[in-house]
Amino acid sequence: MTLAEARAALRAARRVAVLTGAGVSAESGIPTFRDALSGHWARFRPEDLASPDAYRRDPEMVWQWYAGRYRDVSRAQPNGAHHLLARLEREKGEGFFLATQNVDGLHVRAGSERLVELHGNLGTARCEVCGAVAPLPDPETFTPPPTCPVCSSRMRPNVVWFGEFLPQGALEAAAQAFGEADVALVIGTSGQVYPAAGLALETRRAGGTVIEVNPDETDLTPHMSCSVRDVASRGLAALMAER
Ligand code: OAD
């Protein structure tokens, strides 16, 4: 499928499902996970930070890492890709669904509303005892760990760690949206983490069109109807251009 055909398919689509990954926030200055030099996992081992064992072993160190990421994302601004996806939602209305793997909250700050945050959100914490979720305080003055406003127990970062389940209902809603989509967009993800990466294949399996926007090839590329080899903001702009 050519770019022109992909553009026409997106324009004609009544139902559009979008999966985003860390690459959509790269142009906001937020490091991805697996990009060789800048990615988080290039400098840390994920098991040492983003896992229940790491948190059990050293909650202080894990909280320090997340408090630093929370500060970074709070200082970052949504980029063109986030704004274009918020515009696409306004154009498609009820037929639009966004599933993000990102925990940086930038889609919400760009105005996206019809979305699920599959891996949680850095700006909130979850009580280890009663499960209450609360927003974190001002990132510039926040000193972890936060305590639960309901039962005063210690709270943990409200993100999905390796080996943990995704938020209740989020995955089901996403699987349904991708299974019904005429067009799925897969933007800025290496497609290595399931079940999120499998969502785009639901659209393919149901006979829909799947379009990837990524400067590099990914594990999902062979399954795509069209791959736009560009950064998220330019690739999306090309797909959403009038002609
Ligand atoms: P990765 O770091 O695995 O992949 C980022 C992707 O973005 C790569 O394919 C890059 O080529 C691409 N990329 C880089 N710059 C880009 C740009 N400007 N525009 C578009 N794409 C760009 O990040 P994810 O695929 O999001 O999970 O990782 C998925 C999950 O693995 C994360 O949600 C996290 C991590 O473990 C949890 O935290 C549970």
Side-chain angles (χ1 to χ4, degrees):
M1 178 181 272
T2 65
L3 174 62
E5 288 164 336
R7 186 183 300 133
L10 179 59
R11 192 177 307 118
R14 281 186 46 251
R15 289 183 303 267
V16 174
V18 183
L19 174 68
T20 62
V24 84
S25 297
E27 292 165 85
S28 297
I30 296 175
T32 62
F33 290 91
R34 295 173 179 83
D35 276 339
L37 296 180
S38 63
H40 283 303
W41 300 153
R43 287 171 290 141
F44 307 101
R45 281 172 359 106
E47 307 76 48
D48 296 342
L49 283 165
S51 72
D53 286 346
Y55 185 68
R56 252 191 302 281
R57 269 198 315 272
D58 189 346
E60 181 61 32
M61 186 267 289
V62 171
W63 255 121
Q64 283 308 324
W65 187 59
Y66 277 97
R69 286 181 63 196
Y70 171 49
R71 221 173 10 258
D72 294 345
V73 300
S74 304
R75 292 173 183 161
Q77 294 303 320
N79 66 62
H82 296 106
H83 292 298
L84 282 169
L85 287 172
R87 192 186 101 195
L88 188 59
E89 173 177 331
R90 290 190 293 273
E91 289 172 1
K92 299 296 181 182
E94 297 280 310
F96 182 89
F97 186 94
L98 168 60
T100 186
Q101 299 172 89
N102 300 340
V103 293
D104 57 34
L106 290 183
H107 284 301
V108 172
R109 285 175 51 197
S112 289
E113 294 174 358
R114 300 178 59 78
L115 86 158
V116 290
E117 295 177 309
L118 294 171
H119 293 163
N121 184 311
L122 277 178
T124 57
R126 187 170 78 238
C127 179
E128 294 178 36
V129 173
C130 75
V133 173
L136 289 180
D138 174 354
E140 299 304 333
T141 56
F142 170 51
T143 47
T147 48
C148 177
V150 175
C151 73
S152 302
S153 307
R154 184 178 66 185
M155 302 182 90
R156 55 160 278 179
N158 187 29
V159 297
V160 175
W161 283 331
F162 287 94
E164 290 189 321
F165 289 109
L166 274 61
Q168 187 57 35
L171 187 59
E172 288 76 5
Q176 175 159 358
F178 279 82
E180 294 169 351
D182 305 307
V183 167
L185 302 180
V186 180
I187 308 170
T189 181
S190 61
Q192 295 181 42
V193 173
Y194 283 78
L199 288 168
L201 306 181
E202 300 277 334
T203 307
R204 182 91 196 166
R205 196 170 298 126
T209 299
V210 202
I211 303 164
E212 175 182 53
V213 179
N214 195 314
D216 301 328
E217 285 223 352
T218 71
D219 290 359
L220 294 174
T221 299
H223 307 287
M224 295 293 124
S225 316
C226 174
S227 282
V228 180
R229 280 284 162 266
D230 206 340
V231 294
S233 59
R234 276 206 304 268
L236 263 173
L239 279 170
M240 292 171 62
E242 282 315 306
R243 56 190 87 280

